[in-house]
Amino acid sequence: MSDRLPGPAGAAGLARERTRLAWRRTALGAAAGSLAAGRLLAPLLGPWSWALAGAGLAATVVVVARATRHHVGSGTAPGRLVTGVTAIVAALGTLALVVLWTGHARVV
């Protein structure tokens, strides 16, 4: 029996579905990270930490919308979106490490 399915649900269709689901998992992780950053940075930034978390959640919505829209029309990865998400996650991760190492945040 063949592993390939006939029609649009074939290999290309399944690859698009897996990529779309991967972007959703990435967005879910970014949303959780935004909320964690809001809580972690609250002693240091006060209410601005929650504004930063809200911006992260808004960016998550944009990422999901753009990735979904892009994958509906084509099967290629949105290169600038991948680069942008990677840069933002790296910058926020670095900021979180600096906050933890300097002792300005309390992890419970």
Side-chain angles (χ1 to χ4, degrees):
M1 188 172 233
S2 174
D3 289 333
R4 293 183 184 236
L5 299 174
L14 292 176
R16 286 187 191 137
E17 179 71 11
R18 285 190 302 269
T19 302
R20 187 172 56 81
L21 291 173
W23 274 107
R24 284 187 179 177
R25 286 190 305 271
T26 300
L28 182 61
S34 295
L35 294 174
R39 183 164 188 250
L40 179 70
L41 296 174
L44 183 64
L45 299 178
W48 287 103
S49 68
W50 293 108
L52 182 64
L57 291 173
T60 298
V61 170
V62 170
V63 165
V64 169
R66 285 190 45 115
T68 301
R69 185 180 57 190
H70 183 80
H71 284 290
V72 167
S74 71
T76 61
R80 285 183 285 186
L81 184 60
V82 172
T83 304
V85 168
T86 302
I88 291 169
V89 168
L92 290 176
T94 303
L95 176 64
L97 286 175
V98 167
V99 168
L100 286 173
W101 281 334
T102 58
H104 285 77
R106 184 177 58 121
V107 179
V108 177

